[in-house]
Amino acid sequence: MNFDFEEEHKLLQDMLVNFVNKEVKPLAQQIDREHKIPDSLIKKMADLGLLGTYIPEEYGGAGMDYFSYIMTVEEVSKACGSTGVMISAHTSLACDPILSFGNEDQKKKYLPLLAKGEKIGCILLTEPEAGSDVANIQTTYKREGDYFILNGNKIFITNGGFKGIGVVFASFDRSLKHKGLSAFIIDLESEGVEILKNEEKMGIRGSYTTAIGFNNVKIPVENLLGKEGDGFKIAMETLNGGRIGIAAQALGIAEGAFERALAYSKERKQFGKPISENQAIQFKLADMIAKIETAKLITYKAAWLKNMKKTNAMESAICKMYASEVATYVTKEAVQIFGGYGYICEYEVERMYRDAKITEIYEGTNEVQRIVISKMLLK
């Protein structure tokens, strides 16, 4: 096994580090405080191809590979978890299902808008009574002539507040459960789409988490993804990739917190010496980096499998579960190393601790990931 980056990935990483340090890191606290990612930053990321990393050039993307996308989310999340998840949801949950399941006309129409950042993408799956229980979706649709008429409500929609392009899931017959689900591409500026609420959150405050209502929304028939009844399959495949993106976000948050804690431990002096000379702090640092490196290995393996178009459902669940728990552990320990300062908003580890927790919850809670993993083991 060769663990070295390809030359193109080394160049990308150098570019990302420079960009993040110059453009993202200085804005991270502002983004958290103002609950908004500046449009100017989104444009700069789009201009660099960060919103269309593995979208082919023929559809307006950067034409890189899936691993480049994972590197992008990781590096951006080292500075700002909100911006990292915006890229992750946009790419994994909106661009990917259109690229994977869309027909040629759909790809040509929507992927350039997404890849160039003219529209920000999202997935509209979760409902008040249907989170991980996708088969229990209550949103319905029926066909009338050249349109599908959509009615229902969605919650916890990452990027929903941008009112961009979404992939929405609805049922034509709820008695059929998962077999009655279909997926559609939807323009969230369509008549009948209503932003019900942008949630106030504990962490990733700069990222929109939105409740959206649909009142007789017309979706053109040509916006159906795949065939009617394909919705469950599309959702499951999309969530597999989404979990790898969340793992990359969690990994980046953990790495960012560790870097700050390590530097602080060398600078902060107590009893006449840096606290890094205390064995208690050394043990914390050792445990933190050991968990980070382990999370990185399984996340990169899952990304490599998806990049090679190999089966990755178990690996995606494992990396999401493990990396997110590592992020929560590492950020907690980083706050502890900073002591009282770690609890103050001026010091970034406080924000990173709050940002890390959500990675254990969305794309299916880690309890759900354990169910997914165990079911595969017991087949």
Side-chain angles (χ1 to χ4, degrees), residues 19-20 23-25 27-29 31-32 36-38 41-42 45 50-51 72-91 158-159 162 204-208 249 253 351 355 362:
F19 176 79
V20 168
E23 303 290 352
V24 182
K25 190 174 181 180
L27 293 175
Q29 295 290 71
I31 289 169
D32 180 72
K36 188 178 190 303
I37 301 169
L41 177 58
I42 293 174
M45 293 191 295
L50 305 188
L51 300 185
T72 298
V73 174
E74 178 187 359
E75 289 297 332
V76 170
S77 297
K78 286 181 184 180
C80 180
S82 293
T83 307
V85 76
M86 188 278 281
I87 297 172
S88 176
H90 170 85
T91 309
T158 304
N159 293 346
F162 287 108
I204 58 164
R205 291 177 175 174
S207 165
Y208 286 121
Q249 180 201 0
I253 292 171
R351 167 175 53 82
D355 287 352
Y362 55 12

Side-chain angles (χ1 to χ4, degrees), residues 206-224:
S207 165
Y208 286 121
T209 301
T210 309
I212 297 178
F214 305 109
N215 182 18
N216 292 324
V217 177
K218 289 184 176 181
I219 301 176
V221 168
E222 59 265 26
N223 281 25
L224 175 68

